[in-house]
Amino acid sequence: MRLWTSDEIAAATGGTASEEFEVSGVTFDSREVGPGDLFLALSGEATDGHRFLDQAFASGAAGAVVHSHTPHPHVMVRDTMAALNALGTASRGRMEGVVIGVTGSAGKTGTKEALFAALDRGEPGYAHRSVKSYNNHTGVPLSLARMPRNTRYGVFEMGMNHEGELALLTRLVRPHIAIVTTIAPAHMGFFKDESAIADAKGEIFQGLECGGTAIIPFDSPHRDRLIEAARPYAAKIVTFGLGEGADVRAIETMRTKLGGTFVTARLGARELSFTISQPGAHWVSNSMAILAAVVAAGADLELAGLALAELGGLTGRGARFLVPVPGGEALVIDEAYNANPASMRVTLEVLGHEQAARKIAVLGEMRELGEHSEAFHAELSGPIEAAGLDYLILVGELMEPLANALEGHVDFVHVPDATAARDHLLDMLGPGDAVLIKGSNGVRLSNVVAALAERAPA
């Protein structure tokens, strides 16, 4: 399917096309180039995309955006990063459907994926979303530039770790609906307190289109702060959650045999019963945000409920698989993508509900917590003991306060890095065990997951 022509790219970016061509995809990573793609040769501190033009075209690129000469089909611009933003802006400008922005300290990627599934279930092939965690100054315009011409629903994740970043992204996305999933002490090293994080997340409302809807967590201690941030920009404010008084509320929940939750939700005068396949109270709460967005977008609510029942686990964010071990199998819960105190607590609770011979957690240090880091790590001892865990592998120097807090209470080992964690886990994992793997992305616990996945049956 034609995504962009060379003339359209030139018009959007103010560049000059060397010849006529059409592209069906867009990327700035030469390793991801496929047949028919447009390759944006970005210049960064570490490397220059122009060095990989031959590789990109060998992989099937149909054209490139460049700022220096190449013999390949291209659009010449003055600044390729500015061209990426311009292409994203042009894509948003031609989109005639509903655009939804999602942010939060935790749960934004899962909510984005689940919302996409809910909208796609109603109109297959007409929903689009940002892939992976493409939520920053390069990922957001790339996700916009990739949006097909006939998209009816666009769902975009937006992240930040400094004040002002989200304000720039949301003005690029210009959502009709803006969701804040939760506020938690993520990136605390860059903010004076959690209220400052709430203010930074509230920047998402600044990009709302006229008549837009703000969707806000009712149960958050920062609810009123977020409502005040939304008032100047939102025509409608909708709260979601578990507490009485939320506009979209889970009024009954029941854990299913497969680990998910059967939910009855109230949306004004309307009720909907559905199953959310993912385990944990945080997923119940986030599903209320999803339903609120589906209603605001005018999409099919019943089909959205079916999509939530069918939702599979996400790599690094709750995916589950069985691995063979001597004498049987063990369950792996992959939460290795990232971690903050709030997401640690909810996933430890999920592990605590598992029926297993042993409940094991491989926990990597939580980074970017600033002066509060020691306290946040030590405070994980409470959720760990409440979950009734049998064994822990603590990974990284920052886990020392937690190790001290757990001494004499829970069996654990403290190792320096992911390699040591992998080796220790592979030696001790037994039949019937359930193991949770979670930590900040920089700890690279995904390598531990990969080592286990290699053993899983195809």
Side-chain angles (χ1 to χ4, degrees):
M1 181 180 295
R2 185 186 69 181
L3 184 62
W4 296 99
T5 67
S6 52
D7 287 344
E8 289 169 338
I9 297 166
T13 62
T16 303
S18 64
E19 59 189 85
E20 290 188 0
F21 59 85
E22 294 182 355
V23 300
S24 54
V26 181
T27 186
F28 51 66
D29 188 336
S30 60
R31 297 165 297 182
E32 295 182 355
V33 172
D37 279 352
L38 175 70
F39 176 61
L40 285 135
L42 301 185
S43 297
E45 294 180 4
T47 189
D48 184 347
H50 293 78
R51 293 172 49 200
F52 304 101
L53 282 164
D54 289 344
Q55 176 184 329
F57 279 91
S59 297
V65 175
V66 299
H67 63 65
S68 59
H69 176 72
T70 176
H72 301 292
H74 64 271
V75 172
M76 181 70 69
V77 298
R78 297 178 67 177
D79 182 328
T80 50
M81 185 62 221
L84 172 59
N85 277 284
L87 202 59
T89 299
S91 180
R92 175 64 184 87
R94 72 184 184 184
M95 199 273 197
E96 298 179 352
V98 178
V99 174
I100 304 167
V102 182
T103 194
S105 301
K108 56 184 175 291
T109 300
T111 298
K112 176 256 300 181
E113 290 292 329
L115 180 54
F116 165 77
L119 296 169
D120 190 64
R121 188 70 160 76
E123 298 194 54
Y126 289 98
H128 170 77
R129 91 287 206 189
S130 46
V131 298
K132 302 179 183 178
S133 288
Y134 281 7
N135 61 20
N136 63 7
H137 68 288
T138 53
V140 169
L142 176 67
S143 298
L144 284 165
R146 288 173 163 177
M147 184 163 53
R149 297 168 181 269
N150 61 350
T151 297
R152 295 176 187 169
Y153 303 105
V155 187
F156 299 93
E157 177 181 341
M158 287 176 270
M160 63 87 207
N161 55 22
H162 288 86
E163 179 185 354
E165 290 179 341
L166 207 53
L168 295 174
L169 295 178
T170 190
R171 290 187 173 99
L172 189 62
V173 173
R174 291 169 34 223
H176 300 95
I177 302 164
I179 301 171
V180 177
T181 58
T182 189
I183 303 297
H187 311 300
M188 198 69 171
F190 304 116
F191 295 93
K192 65 177 182 179
D193 55 28
E194 200 171 281
S195 294
I197 295 175
D199 290 340
K201 293 297 183 184
E203 292 173 10
I204 191 174
F205 305 126
Q206 296 176 19
L208 275 172
E209 289 287 88
C210 181
T213 300
I215 299 178
I216 289 170
F218 180 84
D219 304 310
S220 171
H222 307 287
R223 175 190 66 210
D224 294 342
R225 198 177 194 96
L226 290 169
I227 289 173
E228 287 306 309
R231 284 194 194 282
Y233 307 100
K236 186 174 183 180
I237 296 174
V238 179
T239 60
F240 71 92
L242 310 180
E244 187 171 353
D247 296 319
V248 180
R249 180 189 171 213
I251 57 175
E252 292 183 5
T253 62
M254 182 176 65
R255 186 176 170 84
T256 68
K257 291 182 179 180
L258 296 177
T261 307
F262 180 75
V263 183
T264 298
R266 179 169 292 155
L267 305 88
R270 189 175 183 181
E271 288 189 4
L272 176 72
S273 293
F274 64 99
T275 298
I276 176 77
S277 62
Q278 302 303 303
H282 59 299
W283 265 106
V284 175
S285 180
N286 288 341
S287 72
M288 297 301 102
I290 292 162
L291 297 184
V294 168
V295 171
D300 192 303
L301 193 61
E302 284 74 18
L303 289 179
L306 291 177
L308 292 174
E310 298 165 353
L311 191 67
L314 306 176
T315 299
R317 296 179 176 84
R320 293 171 170 233
F321 59 92
L322 294 171
V323 295
V325 296
E329 292 179 317
L331 171 68
V332 178
I333 305 171
D334 174 17
E335 287 276 357
Y337 179 75
N338 220 333
N340 60 50
S343 64
M344 278 285 200
R345 285 195 298 271
V346 296
T347 50
L348 286 166
E349 182 181 355
V350 168
L351 178 59
H353 286 296
E354 292 295 329
Q355 299 298 314
R358 291 183 300 175
K359 299 171 187 177
I360 302 166
V362 180
L363 303 180
E365 59 189 25
M366 301 177 292
R367 298 181 176 178
E368 297 184 353
L369 294 179
E371 64 183 18
H372 306 284
S373 179
E374 289 190 10
F376 281 130
H377 282 87
E379 287 167 2
L380 290 179
S381 61
I384 286 168
E385 293 187 54
L389 304 192
D390 298 291
Y391 193 75
L392 291 156
I393 301 175
L394 306 181
V395 188
E397 183 180 351
L398 296 180
M399 278 295 186
E400 187 67 30
L402 178 57
N404 293 335
L406 292 173
E407 193 70 49
H409 297 276
V410 180
D411 288 337
F412 70 91
V413 64
H414 188 188
V415 299
D417 53 37
T419 300
R422 177 200 64 197
D423 294 344
H424 189 80
L425 181 64
L426 292 177
D427 284 343
M428 55 88 61
L429 202 57
D433 288 347
V435 55
L436 166 70
I437 302 174
K438 187 169 184 64
S440 283
N441 198 32
V443 186
R444 302 194 182 281
L445 292 185
S446 57
N447 293 339
V448 179
V449 175
L452 293 166
E454 287 178 358
R455 299 187 172 200

